[in-house]
Amino acid sequence: MRDGRLEHNFDDATVQLDITMLQPRAYPEFVAKALVLDNDPFEAMVDDDNPWMEGFVLVVAVSGLAGLALAVGGWLTAATLPAPDAALTTLLQGGRQLAAILSLPAASVERVIMEVWALTAFSSGYAGGWTHLLPILSVPGMALVWWVFFSVGAFGIGRAFGGNGTLRTTLGAAALTVAPLSFLLLSIAPFAGVSSVMLAVWSALIGYRAIHVAQELDWRRAALTTLSVYALAIVVILLLLVAFGLGYATGGFR
Amino acid sequence: MSLHTHVVLPGRAPREEWTQRRYWLPDFNQMWNAARLNLADALDPFERGRITVSMRQGIGMIAVLGLLAGVPTLLANLWLGLSVGTAVPLAAAAASLAELAAGYPANPVANEVAHTAGLLAGIEPRMPGLLAALLSALGLWLNWPLGWLANWIVYGAVVAGLARLMGAPNNLQTFFAATSFTAVPLTLTGLSPIPFIGPLAVIAGILWAFVLYYQAVRRVTGLDATRTLLSVVLPGVVIAAIPTLLALGLLLLALAA
């Protein structure tokens, strides 16, 4: 026994068996293998002593790095642009000229520019302040919510389709659905953008593989389970939007 | 299960496989064969009777060829950004709007918009202009492989699903590995900044890529020509139909109003 590894010498070969728990240093390999839909990382997560804890750490680690890259990338992007005050002054000046040409009231054009500016500058972090740091919290937060939602949904629906995995193993395998977030590390470069559709579809493919392995379902049922979880997510989001709309319409949030 | 279980043979030290080029990319001959639409040799160069190229190699190939195709645009962007001393998107917007205004000299709106964009591009960025141009050009360059990867995965997932529903026995890894060779003819689209030749190269690259994609899907799924064509074309038709239907709906609503 040496450094957590069991070694045994045969006549012409040395067999090494790693009997330690999974280590965070194995995560890059897991993420890389999950991206190419390899079975190994899913089986390793399912067979782990503590799959949900391993999954939790993996989700936080990958999404935390992605959030950090987005935050730094947003800050760098804002730094490549002119100072917001100077840019806004130029835009307002142009707006006034345009209003004069089109015989529109200058005040209305200015108001529209100010409203669009406020929304864009806040959502993109261009205005500065703490909004740059938002992805450091929002990306891991959303990733954790999605991981739990996907795992619980996949467990329930998978069981209904005849799967025999436990919630713990499903949580472990489904944690790998965050693997595509690793592409967000490239967002550190200003104006480099990762397609959110790609992230969603790639994550769905990995989720399909996770359900296939964790629930031991055939491809058709695993695919149906994956699609059902996504459909459920859409329904939940729509319900939340309707609830927000109703609340807003009845005078809330004002 | 452990990922660290391995056998070390005497006299043969374990090699760091991931440091080798072949781990990440198919070899040049495979790409050349794919370009010649000889997919049999591209996907199975050692004639083992199965597809030996991996999805990992596919991702590597798309990343490398995407970056390669983006080089002419990168150079053009660097030229533009460095000459203005600002971020490339601002400089590009100002340049294209100025070009548009020059085409319509009598239009005061176009002139005013171009003038404002020019003023915006002329404001000193918060970081040194040289650095802003360099970093923004680099970011836009990275969008080439990222865009290709997005198209490959999103379109491929739908095509693979349709093919499977039509009876294809393929698995996803093999499917994506085979279709990744579409990146080879798409390299031609990188010539787009070149006047006159650029648009022709883009059209040729897309048509060539479509033929290669069709062949790759057919080979990997084993479906007949009709079902392969349906699998390949249907997602594109649906993607094109959705905005068209939305636009038609909006038009009808506008007419009704």
Side-chain angles (χ1 to χ4, degrees):
Chain A
M1 182 81 181
R2 193 173 68 190
D3 297 335
R5 286 180 174 218
L6 186 66
E7 293 190 1
H8 188 84
N9 284 315
F10 293 97
D11 287 345
D12 57 356
T14 303
V15 175
Q16 298 178 336
L17 295 169
D18 195 333
I19 56 168
T20 56
M21 273 182 63
L22 294 178
Q23 300 289 326
R25 69 183 172 196
Y27 291 167
E29 189 182 352
F30 275 32
V31 166
K33 286 191 168 178
L35 283 175
V36 296
L37 310 174
D38 203 349
N39 265 357
D40 285 353
F42 300 102
E43 285 170 0
M45 290 300 268
V46 166
D47 293 343
D48 192 71
D49 297 343
N50 203 347
W52 78 266
M53 179 53 80
E54 202 79 59
F56 176 80
V57 177
L58 178 72
V59 171
V60 170
V62 175
S63 58
L65 281 174
L68 189 66
L70 276 174
V72 175
W75 178 77
L76 276 175
T77 305
T80 62
L81 296 171
D85 292 343
L88 180 60
T89 307
T90 311
L91 277 175
L92 286 172
Q93 202 179 331
R96 277 185 222 112
Q97 297 286 342
L98 208 60
I101 293 168
L102 296 171
S103 307
L104 291 170
S108 308
V109 174
E110 274 184 28
R111 199 178 61 243
V112 170
I113 291 174
M114 288 295 286
E115 280 176 7
V116 173
W117 176 269
L119 192 70
T120 316
F122 176 77
S123 59
S124 65
Y126 179 39
W130 293 101
T131 48
H132 281 309
L133 303 176
L134 200 62
I136 297 176
L137 292 176
S138 63
V139 176
M142 291 297 288
L144 280 171
V145 169
W146 174 245
W147 169 56
V148 173
F149 178 85
F150 184 86
S151 302
V152 173
F155 169 71
I157 299 168
R159 274 297 182 92
F161 280 134
N164 54 19
T166 64
L167 181 60
R168 289 172 79 245
T169 55
T170 312
L171 276 163
L176 290 159
T177 55
V178 295
L181 291 185
S182 56
F183 282 105
L184 289 175
L185 292 176
L186 294 173
S187 302
I188 204 162
F191 301 104
V194 180
S195 158
S196 48
V197 180
M198 178 186 88
L199 295 180
V201 172
W202 212 322
S203 182
L205 291 173
I206 294 170
Y208 157 74
R209 185 67 91 201
I211 293 167
H212 189 57
V213 172
Q215 293 290 331
E216 293 176 12
L217 289 169
D218 61 52
W219 77 267
R220 201 180 294 270
R221 288 175 185 182
L224 266 176
T225 305
T226 313
L227 291 175
S228 303
V229 177
Y230 272 76
L232 194 64
I234 291 169
V235 170
V236 169
I237 291 168
L238 283 177
L239 283 175
L240 285 173
L241 283 175
V242 168
F244 179 80
L246 282 174
Y248 190 81
T250 51
F253 203 58
R254 266 183 280 184
Chain B
M1 202 207 102
S2 169
L3 291 177
H4 301 292
T5 305
H6 56 274
V7 176
V8 182
L9 293 172
R12 297 192 71 178
R15 299 169 68 190
E16 291 290 347
E17 201 185 11
W18 65 272
T19 58
Q20 296 173 15
R21 190 190 58 80
R22 280 192 61 79
Y23 187 77
W24 297 104
L25 284 171
D27 65 35
F28 181 76
N29 281 335
Q30 284 174 274
M31 293 187 223
W32 179 241
N33 280 322
R36 292 165 52 219
L37 302 179
N38 178 9
L39 278 175
D41 288 341
L43 302 176
D44 181 19
F46 307 110
E47 294 179 0
R48 289 176 183 159
R50 60 186 172 86
I51 292 169
T52 51
V53 68
S54 68
M55 192 175 165
R56 181 185 56 244
Q57 289 175 314
I59 293 174
M61 178 168 56
I62 291 170
V64 169
L65 293 180
L67 287 173
L68 194 69
V71 168
T73 310
L74 170 72
L75 294 176
N77 283 342
L78 278 175
W79 177 264
L80 184 69
L82 291 174
S83 60
V84 182
T86 192
V88 173
L90 271 184
S96 54
L97 285 169
E99 205 173 303
L100 186 77
Y104 301 93
N107 189 331
V109 175
N111 280 313
E112 185 49 46
V113 172
H115 177 66
T116 307
L119 284 176
L120 270 176
I123 304 172
E124 191 71 20
R126 281 184 282 188
M127 66 167 62
L130 181 82
L131 197 60
L134 273 174
L135 286 177
S136 55
L138 180 75
L140 292 174
W141 186 38
L142 288 176
N143 284 338
W144 276 80
L146 286 173
W148 286 15
L149 277 173
N151 290 337
W152 173 61
I153 279 291
V154 175
Y155 204 80
V158 183
V159 174
L162 277 175
R164 196 88 195 235
L165 286 175
M166 291 187 196
N170 62 301
N171 74 54
L172 283 170
Q173 285 170 296
T174 317
F175 179 88
F176 282 114
T179 52
S180 66
F181 278 100
T182 317
V184 177
L186 277 182
T187 314
L188 276 180
T189 58
L191 300 174
S192 58
I194 301 172
F196 306 115
I197 302 169
L200 290 176
V202 171
I203 294 168
I206 290 172
L207 288 175
W208 194 353
F210 177 81
V211 175
L212 201 151
Y213 196 84
Y214 165 82
Q215 284 205 352
V217 173
R218 183 148 192 213
R219 173 165 287 274
V220 84
T221 58
L223 292 175
D224 59 45
T226 315
R227 284 188 289 177
T228 308
L229 201 61
L230 263 179
S231 307
V232 172
V233 172
L234 211 56
V237 172
V238 172
I239 289 167
I242 289 171
T244 313
L245 287 174
L246 279 174
L248 270 175
L250 285 173
L251 189 70
L252 284 173
L253 277 174
L255 284 173

